[in-house]
Amino acid sequence: MLYKKKDKNKIKTNIFPIIALFSSIVGFAFFYLIPFVVSLVYAFTKNPIQFKFVGFRNFIDLFHNKFFILGLKNTFIFMVFAIPISMITSLLLSMAIKKLGRLGNIFTIIFLIPLILPSASIARFWMQIFDNNGAINSILKYIGIEGPMWFSSKYAMVVLVIIYIWKNIGYNTVLFLAGLYGIPKEYYNCADVFGANNRQKFYHVTMVYLTPSFFLIFIMSFVNSFKIFREVYFIQGSHPHESIYLLQHFVNSTLLSLHYHKLVSAVYILTIIIVAIVIRTFTLENYYAKNLMD
Amino acid sequence: MKARKEVYYIMKRKLRLRESYLYLIIIIMIFSMTACKSKNNRGEKDKSPVEENSGDLGAVDESGEKGKKVYIKPEMKGEISINVYDNAEWLETAAKLFTDKYPEMKVNVHVFYNGTDINISENGSEYSGSRPAGETREDYIAQLNNQLLSGNADDIILTSTGLALGKLIHMGVFEDLSHYLEGSEEINSDHYYMNIFDAYRTKKGKLYQMPLAATAIPLITFDKTLINETGIGPGEEIKSLSLREALNLGKDIYHASESMTIYFEDPRSLIGNYFTKIAVAGIDYEANKVVVNKEELLELLSIYDELKDYDAPPMGAAYDEVHVPFKIPYQSDVEIAIRELEGEIKTLQYKHDGEEVYLSPYYSVDFGINSKSKNKELSWEFLKFLASEEIQTLPSFPNAGINKKGLEARVRGKASEYNQNEDKIKQIIGLVDGWTSQITAYKDEDTDIIQISESVFNDFAEGNLTSQEAIDKLIHLLEQYISE
Amino acid sequence: MKRKKIGLFMIIFCISLIWLIPLVTTIVNSFTPVISQGTISEKGFSLEQYKEILVQSPIYLNMFWNSVGITLAVLIGSIIVATLGAYGFTTLNFKGKELLFFVYIVVMLLPLQVTLMPNYMVASKLHIEDSYWAIILPAIFNPFGVFVLRQQMKSLPRECFEAAMMDGAGHPHIFYYITLPMVKSGIAALIMLQVIEYWNIIDQAIIFIKKADQYPLSIFLARINNEASGVSFAAATFYIIPVLALLSYGHEYLKEGIGLMNVREK
């Protein structure tokens, strides 16, 4: 830490950050953590109305649940494609915007448009494009290719990834820009002194100081990939084509049918997976942060 | 280090955020807090958070398993709440009459959706309408589910508005009402159609819903003109027909008739109805399995294909010349009775599995009592009041049916719209009474399953799916439904 | 160099058209009078729809102000909590700090449907389930803000804090005069993203708000996809424009994050 004094003094000088942190922790615990932990009870009961203890029955059932597995699988496939692609494109975009300076201002706003449009409008827009008689298929027909039924075939996943990238590129760009502008110019000047070229600057300055941002954006992409459900739901309802049956469909439907015990067990399984992924990225972040700071 | 220090000082000077901003923020925050303060004090009223309720959860099970509870009429003092999807005038009236009768009672009717849309009054200063138009069923269910989960749902819940009823009943959301019914002597076969209560019972004899209105359709109606012309038709002694029998008769009439304007009006709705019934019957909540009778479905869909040859409306035929051998009319039972008496049609009841006659889901009103409710007895008293003559004879009450006097009043009201004389009205009452007292089975009203089977059936009917694909899809979707 | 810039500009501009189209169609449709539902083929221009939503029926404006109220309250509360929390996480060093932060992240990652139900339970315990508080309070303590700002504060140079410390400045001082200005771009980003998030609030509002006059505009707009009438397009435009304006304003701050050099030059 910044200073090494005796413990008592430490608390005294640190009273402000302690209170600051506490204000956040108390609310977080009260509104998120404790309720979430308490809800674990449901995972071991027959159902939320009949509070009978059933042990690990719900978890075992879930692994035999065709649709939970299907949702898990599809969500995984979706994330593997959508997250990296959207991160790379938005990094490139944010760097271009930064380079453009004043001219680039307008683009940040334009790319944020999907986030402020009502979901229904977004769904309508994409339906016009990927409908069986939509824009894409019309173009394909003009060339002489019979277009597929985008939403109800195996191509549905491609459409989903495209919509995701389209929707979230602005979000990621804002965060990347915040990261880019947060890098003190001093560091670039320093690199100039050492005669670094653009590429070296990118790898040794930009990438290094963007590491926390990368981590942040990865996590946010993860969060946002759950939100894509809203658009899918507008387009396909609760019975989408098999290839885009996401975990969110499962979660949403279990909630609507009051099968909270299934929902909570599913979520705890999901949490375990998330924890594994976050630990992995956490260590990666720390590794890079330390490695590159030197 | 010196340079850094300098930086710090410069920053301190340059970047002083104006204090006034801070004050502004605080003022705005306080303002928004007071503005947001809810005027609604409902929260104060029912101080029954989760824990208190979890206490009597065990009791729910016991009452279900032992079934020995005896209902004793409670002291009429307290407060009950009712959850309904949309605005019902008769319910408000009934609540008022109830509180007039028992001054120490309070009845709160919680309406989720009142008004079809945002209504703008002329002076522009007032508006009614609780929720904008559009998809609201899911919002309703989401809200209701959260109330049920946290244990502060209303005492009485309207069950005939699109709930996933099968799942809810299986989970124990609703109280078994059979011992309440047994303990209420005033509900007897002199004044009530007890067969409808029985029709609502589950296979194990439990009653989770209090039926209030009931209309005995689907009925199958045969065109009398065609029967007279061809001499083919159901015999006088036959009261009910199964789908297969009706179709065969219809085909015979079609072929025997010389009329050029005969066709099957809409075999789709007929078979779609049946398709849904098989889908609903195919779900086994206990075993968490889908056991749809595939042969039955295949046969049904092949009938549909067969009927395609019959469903072309004649070209250029005048509307009143067209004859339809038979159909399931979606009209009120009074209208059907009038047409029957005028000799236009012959009406039969719909038969399934040999003997059962189904109630239409379109005209039923029923309530369940929340199993976590603390005022079950009072709630039952209120439901009983709703079934009583006093309420059932209200002009605004929809499709009265459970109470014999109520049914009569409804038939009279409707018949008078058609300028029927007293004699005719008596005959109509006789017919409707006969149909109603024959009801022996209630169609499970799980909206999700109905939607699933209808969407699959429409896909099939439009030719997007073959019959085998349709059945596979149905099973797939039902499996999805049950595993979610 | 300049030509290169313009070329880059043109390329991005062409790509960005795909983002612009839905907005443009919404705005254009909002000025097109409705002849009959579903057929907006006849071209024309009218302000009737705007007159309808702004003057004739107060419900739209009412819903709009509800949206503003919710967003503003969430925004102010969450920014305060997030800056404080992030500052605590950055400056304090204690056992289990990383673990705690880790828990923040994991909870943040959970889908909305999962946290909604616990939120409802807490709200019903506090007897606020029928008011805006049920939406605002959990939103204020959403771990997202803390997360964003902590990541931002991580890359701040330590020397600056040390200098201040040596100077005898206390934590409140450092927080207010050094940390906050330095993470300005992060705060701007956070504000922009929070506004977007809570301006579009749907799920929570559906569950918690039961009275017609308390709905935010977002619920209305989420429900009108089937009846694409001119009024709904006008309402959508009316709904989008303030946020767009706010975003472009916030964007200026996003850029002006204060680096060390900026200061020294002055």
Side-chain angles (χ1 to χ4, degrees):
Chain A
M1 204 43 219
L2 304 177
Y3 33 80
K4 282 165 193 158
K5 285 179 189 170
K6 285 190 177 163
D7 274 7
K8 268 184 190 173
N9 284 338
K10 213 169 159 183
I11 290 175
K12 212 173 172 187
T13 44
N14 280 341
I15 191 78
F16 176 75
I18 289 172
I19 292 171
L21 188 59
F22 245 79
S23 69
S24 169
I25 290 175
V26 169
F28 170 72
F30 194 68
F31 286 104
Y32 291 91
L33 192 59
I34 294 170
F36 178 62
V37 172
V38 169
S39 72
L40 180 61
V41 174
Y42 287 107
F44 298 102
T45 54
K46 193 176 170 211
N47 68 47
I49 308 295
Q50 292 169 305
F51 244 53
K52 246 187 236 161
F53 180 76
V54 291
F56 285 92
R57 186 78 250 165
N58 288 324
F59 292 97
I60 297 163
D61 281 350
L62 267 185
F63 282 110
H64 292 109
N65 193 324
K66 219 164 82 182
F67 289 87
F68 174 69
I69 302 294
L70 180 69
L72 208 59
K73 193 188 89 188
N74 285 336
T75 308
F76 181 74
I77 295 171
F78 171 72
M79 286 179 173
V80 163
F81 286 101
I83 295 180
I85 297 176
S86 76
M87 280 180 74
I88 292 166
T89 43
S90 46
L91 175 64
L92 292 177
L93 184 69
S94 57
M95 281 167 60
I97 286 174
K98 196 190 170 203
K99 204 167 201 170
L100 282 175
R102 261 196 188 284
L103 281 175
N105 279 359
I106 183 82
F107 291 124
T108 328
I109 311 299
I110 291 177
F111 286 103
L112 278 175
I113 287 173
L115 290 168
I116 50 171
L117 281 177
S119 293
S121 311
I122 294 177
R124 204 185 304 138
F125 173 66
W126 285 103
M127 261 148 93
Q128 279 164 2
I129 289 183
F130 283 108
D131 201 42
N132 294 346
N133 304 311
I136 298 256
N137 276 5
S138 304
I139 294 168
L140 286 178
K141 207 173 182 182
Y142 188 75
I143 310 171
I145 305 168
E146 182 70 26
M149 310 227 303
W150 290 98
F151 288 117
S152 45
S153 66
K154 56 182 192 256
Y155 296 103
M157 185 58 91
V158 178
V159 178
L160 208 61
V161 172
I162 291 174
I163 297 180
Y164 172 82
I165 294 167
W166 178 81
K167 197 181 169 191
N168 288 293
I169 196 166
Y171 200 102
N172 293 348
T173 305
V174 166
L175 290 174
F176 266 128
L177 277 175
L180 282 173
Y181 287 122
I183 301 173
K185 276 187 189 163
E186 205 179 41
Y187 297 140
Y188 285 106
N189 294 359
C190 216
D192 281 336
V193 171
F194 285 105
N197 61 24
N198 277 346
R199 220 177 113 187
Q200 281 166 325
K201 266 200 255 177
F202 176 72
Y203 281 114
H204 295 287
V205 181
T206 313
M207 291 299 266
V208 175
Y209 288 96
L210 272 188
T211 311
S213 296
F214 265 113
F215 180 60
L216 169 73
I217 290 159
F218 174 75
I219 298 288
M220 288 327 291
S221 300
F222 208 92
V223 173
N224 288 332
S225 67
F226 285 123
K227 289 185 188 157
I228 196 71
F229 170 72
R230 217 182 254 173
E231 277 78 23
V232 185
Y233 195 70
F234 264 114
I235 296 170
Q236 288 270 288
S238 49
H239 305 294
H241 186 259
E242 235 171 280
S243 65
I244 49 168
Y245 183 87
L246 301 176
L247 207 51
Q248 283 281 289
H249 286 100
F250 186 80
V251 165
N252 196 56
S253 301
T254 45
L255 189 65
L256 278 180
S257 55
L258 207 65
H259 283 183
Y260 202 65
H261 50 299
K262 277 184 197 169
L263 170 71
V264 172
S265 336
V267 164
Y268 271 91
I269 293 174
L270 181 67
T271 310
I272 291 166
I273 299 171
I274 288 174
V275 165
I277 293 172
V278 176
I279 288 180
R280 190 81 207 112
T281 43
F282 226 58
T283 45
L284 267 179
E285 190 212 359
N286 283 342
Y287 173 78
Y288 278 109
K290 270 188 195 135
N291 234 18
L292 295 164
M293 282 290 184
D294 294 336
Chain B
M1 194 50 87
K2 219 176 179 183
R4 301 280 183 218
K5 229 173 172 180
E6 225 169 81
V7 168
Y8 161 66
Y9 284 127
I10 298 166
M11 279 177 73
K12 190 177 160 186
R13 227 176 20 241
K14 288 251 172 194
L15 303 171
R16 189 181 287 261
L17 290 174
R18 270 192 216 139
E19 240 85 337
S20 56
Y21 280 149
L22 205 69
Y23 293 126
L24 190 70
I25 288 171
I26 291 168
I27 289 167
I28 292 172
M29 201 167 174
I30 291 167
F31 180 74
S32 64
M33 277 178 180
T34 45
C36 291
K37 196 150 198 172
S38 165
K39 297 146 218 155
N40 194 338
N41 290 324
R42 228 189 96 206
E44 306 276 313
K45 181 211 76 201
D46 40 18
K47 281 183 177 159
S48 55
V50 198
E51 285 159 70
E52 291 173 40
N53 274 316
S54 53
D56 46 1
L57 281 171
V60 175
D61 264 4
E62 278 168 33
S63 75
E65 276 154 23
K66 288 178 189 168
K68 280 178 192 167
K69 267 191 181 175
V70 183
Y71 174 71
I72 301 151
K73 194 176 170 178
E75 191 192 348
M76 297 307 287
K77 191 176 163 186
E79 194 171 348
I80 53 170
S81 56
I82 304 164
N83 186 304
V84 288
Y85 175 72
D86 51 11
N87 213 358
E89 190 199 329
W90 67 271
L91 194 60
E92 302 277 352
T93 319
K96 206 183 158 294
L97 289 172
F98 189 68
T99 44
D100 287 348
K101 198 172 170 187
Y102 305 106
E104 283 180 85
M105 284 295 302
K106 199 166 173 248
V107 180
N108 301 311
V109 181
H110 295 139
V111 180
F112 175 77
Y113 175 65
N114 54 35
T116 49
D117 206 340
I118 299 161
N119 303 318
I120 300 118
S121 75
E122 279 175 28
N123 60 19
S125 65
E126 278 177 28
Y127 55 86
S128 67
S130 139
R131 193 161 284 251
E135 287 279 322
T136 49
R137 189 180 86 89
E138 269 183 17
D139 302 352
Y140 172 65
I141 290 172
Q143 203 180 74
L144 180 65
N145 279 351
N146 270 293
Q147 290 169 351
L148 285 169
L149 282 172
S150 62
N152 52 9
D154 295 318
D155 301 317
I156 301 174
I157 297 161
L158 181 68
T159 49
S160 47
T161 36
L163 302 179
L165 213 56
K167 278 183 179 175
L168 293 186
I169 287 175
H170 179 66
M171 276 202 283
V173 169
F174 297 108
E175 179 76 2
D176 177 21
L177 301 174
S178 38
H179 70 272
Y180 292 88
L181 187 65
E182 277 143 29
S184 307
E185 282 174 6
E186 59 269 49
I187 298 185
N188 54 46
S189 54
D190 290 343
H191 301 105
Y192 292 86
Y193 291 104
M194 296 310 285
N195 58 311
I196 297 180
F197 285 103
D198 292 338
Y200 269 73
R201 284 179 196 269
T202 60
K203 279 175 197 157
K204 287 179 183 167
K206 289 179 182 169
L207 181 69
Y208 292 104
Q209 292 157 278
M210 171 76 165
L212 293 180
T215 313
I217 61 167
L219 295 160
I220 299 175
T221 62
F222 279 84
D223 191 317
K224 265 276 176 63
T225 330
L226 286 173
I227 295 177
N228 292 340
E229 185 203 327
T230 58
I232 303 170
E236 283 305 316
E237 70 293 342
I238 294 174
K239 284 261 186 316
S240 60
L241 280 181
S242 72
L243 182 67
R244 200 21 143 174
E245 289 163 347
L247 287 171
N248 285 339
L249 264 177
K251 275 203 263 180
D252 288 346
I253 296 171
Y254 184 94
H255 290 298
S257 170
E258 307 199 331
S259 165
M260 293 301 292
T261 55
I262 177 170
Y263 82 111
F264 282 13
E265 192 180 71
D266 195 7
R268 181 187 289 193
S269 77
L270 240 174
I271 294 176
N273 222 302
Y274 210 79
F275 193 80
T276 306
K277 283 185 204 325
I278 298 172
V280 172
I283 289 199
D284 185 348
Y285 289 102
E286 292 294 329
N288 206 28
K289 258 187 201 157
V290 177
V291 277
V292 175
N293 190 338
K294 283 189 196 176
E295 285 79 40
E296 208 179 350
L297 282 175
L298 262 178
E299 220 246 340
L300 191 69
L301 296 181
S302 71
I303 295 176
Y304 184 86
D305 283 335
E306 251 173 73
L307 285 177
K308 273 185 175 160
D309 302 334
Y310 299 87
D311 73 346
M315 294 284 280
Y319 174 74
D320 46 353
E321 283 170 21
V322 172
H323 289 291
V324 178
F326 77 99
K327 63 177 174 182
I328 294 183
Y330 289 94
Q331 287 170 303
S332 83
D333 46 4
V334 178
E335 282 166 14
I336 296 171
I338 293 171
R339 290 182 62 206
E340 161 109 51
L341 288 171
E342 283 172 0
E344 285 178 33
I345 51 170
K346 176 174 171 54
T347 309
L348 292 124
Q349 281 193 259
Y350 190 64
K351 189 168 71 176
H352 178 54
D353 284 351
E355 51 187 322
E356 290 170 342
V357 184
Y358 282 83
L359 259 182
S360 161
Y362 302 99
Y363 299 113
S364 60
V365 176
D366 31 62
F367 287 93
I369 295 181
N370 179 2
S371 61
K372 285 184 180 180
S373 160
K374 292 180 145 182
N375 309 308
K376 286 173 201 158
E377 282 77 20
L378 290 175
S379 302
W380 173 251
E381 283 300 320
F382 183 69
L383 288 184
K384 236 164 52 181
F385 183 70
L386 292 182
S388 72
E389 198 185 319
E390 192 176 352
I391 301 303
Q392 295 259 321
T393 52
L394 280 179
S396 58
F397 188 81
N399 296 294
I402 192 73
N403 186 300
K404 290 190 174 171
K405 281 274 169 15
L407 185 99
E408 203 182 312
R410 168 169 71 86
V411 173
R412 275 181 187 283
K414 188 84 187 166
S416 65
E417 289 173 22
Y418 291 88
N419 299 321
Q420 303 289 315
N421 59 31
E422 183 59 30
D423 238 27
K424 268 276 178 63
I425 288 178
K426 284 224 167 98
Q427 282 180 316
I428 296 169
I429 292 171
L431 269 177
V432 176
D433 176 70
W435 292 333
T436 310
S437 52
Q438 278 186 56
I439 293 168
T440 55
Y442 158 68
K443 184 178 169 301
D444 211 52
E445 199 188 320
D446 202 313
T447 316
D448 292 287
I449 301 176
I450 294 173
Q451 278 177 357
I452 288 171
S453 73
E454 278 178 359
S455 77
V456 173
F457 187 74
N458 286 343
D459 264 2
F460 167 77
E462 283 161 17
N464 297 337
L465 298 173
T466 67
S467 54
Q468 192 57 52
E469 281 168 356
I471 292 168
D472 289 345
K473 191 174 177 193
L474 179 74
I475 293 172
H476 175 83
L477 290 180
L478 289 179
E479 272 175 356
Q480 180 184 339
Y481 176 67
I482 203 157
S483 45
E484 280 172 339
Chain C
M1 190 64 190
K2 204 165 186 191
R3 193 186 277 171
K4 228 178 174 180
K5 255 190 181 179
I6 289 171
L8 190 63
F9 180 84
M10 288 317 289
I11 292 169
I12 300 178
F13 183 74
C14 290
I15 298 170
S16 73
L17 284 180
I18 311 172
W19 277 257
L20 265 177
I21 292 169
L23 178 71
V24 173
T25 49
T26 306
I27 295 176
V28 168
N29 282 336
S30 76
F31 287 108
T32 318
V34 193
I35 294 110
S36 68
Q37 246 188 10
T39 54
I40 320 175
S41 50
E42 243 177 89
K43 275 172 192 157
F45 177 83
S46 118
L47 289 171
E48 270 304 302
Q49 295 88 296
Y50 285 95
K51 205 176 142 197
E52 167 87 33
I53 61 165
L54 295 176
V55 184
Q56 280 168 349
S57 42
I59 189 163
Y60 294 101
L61 271 179
N62 186 43
M63 287 194 290
F64 175 79
W65 287 114
N66 290 341
S67 281
V68 172
I70 294 174
T71 312
L72 209 65
V74 170
L75 203 58
I76 294 165
S78 67
I79 296 296
I80 292 172
V81 171
T83 45
L84 288 175
Y87 186 72
F89 266 117
T90 325
T91 47
L92 288 178
N93 237 356
F94 56 92
K95 232 181 183 178
K97 182 175 92 166
E98 290 305 312
L99 184 72
L100 182 66
F101 192 61
F102 184 72
V103 173
Y104 264 62
I105 293 171
V106 170
V107 170
M108 195 182 72
L109 282 175
L110 296 171
L112 182 70
Q113 283 94 333
V114 182
T115 43
L116 215 49
M117 163 59 201
N119 271 350
Y120 190 87
M121 284 191 159
V122 172
S124 71
K125 284 233 170 191
L126 298 174
H127 299 301
I128 53 167
E129 78 266 37
D130 283 344
S131 72
Y132 286 142
W133 284 117
I135 298 172
I136 293 168
L137 282 179
I140 284 175
F141 295 102
N142 194 324
F144 170 63
V146 178
F147 181 45
V148 171
L149 292 181
R150 198 222 166 175
Q151 292 303 102
Q152 189 84 7
M153 287 180 191
K154 253 187 184 175
S155 51
L156 294 183
R158 295 241 161 256
E159 298 92 334
C160 212
F161 294 94
E162 280 167 28
M165 278 289 171
M166 302 269 271
D167 197 46
H171 271 294
H173 205 80
I174 298 175
F175 171 71
Y176 195 65
Y177 291 108
I178 302 179
T179 318
L180 280 192
M182 281 173 85
V183 293
K184 221 170 159 190
S185 61
I187 294 176
L190 182 62
I191 289 177
M192 288 165 81
L193 299 180
Q194 289 283 66
V195 166
I196 287 168
E197 181 80 24
Y198 287 96
W199 189 252
N200 280 326
I201 194 162
I202 294 179
D203 304 67
Q204 295 97 312
I206 283 168
I207 293 190
F208 289 115
I209 303 177
K210 298 190 180 93
K211 282 191 170 174
D213 52 357
Q214 292 181 347
Y215 287 123
L217 196 51
S218 48
I219 287 197
F220 174 73
L221 288 169
R223 297 283 168 257
I224 49 164
N225 55 333
N226 292 326
E227 341 157 1
S229 64
V231 174
S232 65
F233 281 119
T237 311
F238 186 57
Y239 170 82
I240 294 165
I241 297 300
V243 189
L244 267 187
L246 189 86
L247 289 185
S248 46
Y249 183 73
H251 182 253
E252 291 299 311
Y253 286 89
L254 181 64
K255 287 196 73 176
E256 283 175 14
I258 279 131
L260 285 178
M261 285 311 288
N262 287 0
V263 181
R264 188 178 284 173
E265 278 160 13
K266 278 168 192 170

